[in-house]
Amino acid sequence: MTAFALDGSRILRSTRSSISETFSERKSMYPAPFNFIRVGSFSEASAVLAADPNAKAIAGGQTLIPMMKLRLLKPALLVDLRGISGARDIALGDDAIEIGALATHVDIAGSDIAERFSILRDCGQGIADTQVRNMGTIGGSLAEADPCSCWPALLVALDAQVLCEGPDSRRVQGVRELLEDAYTPALEPGELITRVAIARQALEGYGTFVAFKRCAPAYPTASCAMQIAYDGDRIASLRMGFGCLDLTALAFDEGSDIAAGRQATENLVEDVAEAASIFVEPFADAKGTAEYKRELARGLVKRAFGIIEARRLGRPAVETHQYYG
């Protein structure tokens, strides 16, 4: 009995120590203390953000909150944008589609416009999981400038623009200029993205967004957006963008030079896929080597061509998001 009691006390001390260590580690999963306010307009939000360098805007929070829980970000003040009226609107105009910055992924994927332009539906409905799709916003996705997010790859392919509002002015800039570096959007202090505009001309023809990922909630290992306009059975223009394969989303404009005037034959698809695999500049990480990711880019190009050609001919198309593991 004495021996058992001694062993038991050792076990108890060990367990208490383990619990204490675990609790200490888990404390870091809670955000640092912060204040919180809700605003009614972008101009109000912009003024608050410009006045306080330790403030951060929050809409869906699907990127910001995890970074706060890891204490990679420690804002002293969160400025909630969700009360801004009309900021989730999606409108089809004569020249462009305009999407409010606070439109969620599911807002876009379930809209009448997405039914008409399948590339938008493919992208929105394949992002992460139900929670992220219902809470995450297109403006937040762009403002975080995460190179693995889905919307940036699509929007650079379509050469979309964003309306930005600062404390004293408004301006329009291209998404390609906005995403100047990983996690570093070209926004001035206090400046916010308020709307995204995609030219109707960029959405002519048929399109898709395809991704290869470990599981539904994960970021893709590689993604590809493709939109093809046709002149009869020949390609008039081809727009392409890649995600997760560099420090920013990549627009592959050279693909249109290769494809213009040609039919979507196996040879044409091989030519574009080969050029794309050379064009991308992937880096090795836990998801795979650079060469592996180049092969993924090649495969996604072929997959996108297959889906678009099936849609053009009125045939069933394969799934746009493929999971493994």
Side-chain angles (χ1 to χ4, degrees), residues 146-318:
D146 189 325
C148 292
S149 293
C150 293
W151 288 117
L154 181 149
L155 294 171
V156 299
L158 300 179
D159 201 13
Q161 296 184 313
V162 288
L163 175 63
C164 303
E165 182 171 336
D168 303 310
S169 63
R170 294 181 179 182
R171 63 172 174 144
V172 175
Q173 64 173 320
V175 172
R176 298 183 183 188
E177 289 69 48
L178 173 76
L179 303 174
E180 61 182 5
D181 201 355
Y183 305 103
T184 311
L187 295 171
E188 300 297 327
E191 193 172 33
L192 293 163
I193 299 168
T194 62
R195 300 192 74 75
V196 178
I198 305 171
R200 290 280 297 269
Q201 183 181 11
L203 288 163
E204 290 180 355
Y206 302 86
T208 189
F209 181 92
V210 292
F212 189 72
K213 53 179 82 170
R214 290 176 295 170
C215 58
Y219 280 125
T221 301
S223 62
C224 173
M226 182 183 292
Q227 185 77 23
I228 301 178
Y230 290 87
D231 181 7
D233 63 351
R234 296 183 179 274
I235 294 172
S237 66
L238 182 151
R239 300 172 185 269
M240 293 179 61
F242 292 96
C244 316
L245 296 175
D246 203 338
L247 294 178
T248 61
L250 301 169
F252 183 45
D253 296 332
E254 293 85 346
S256 193
D257 297 333
I258 297 169
R262 298 172 64 181
Q263 294 179 321
T265 62
E266 184 175 338
N267 286 340
L268 177 277
V269 173
E270 287 288 349
D271 288 348
V272 176
E274 173 65 17
S277 71
I278 296 171
F279 166 77
V280 297
E281 293 290 343
F283 46 86
D285 58 16
K287 295 180 180 179
T289 65
E291 188 56 35
Y292 170 72
K293 293 181 181 181
R294 288 185 189 277
E295 289 302 311
L296 281 184
R298 186 194 305 270
L300 288 175
V301 169
K302 294 179 181 180
R303 189 177 184 85
F305 265 110
I307 291 170
I308 290 174
E309 189 66 5
R311 287 175 172 169
R312 184 176 77 89
L313 299 175
R315 299 172 181 167
V318 297

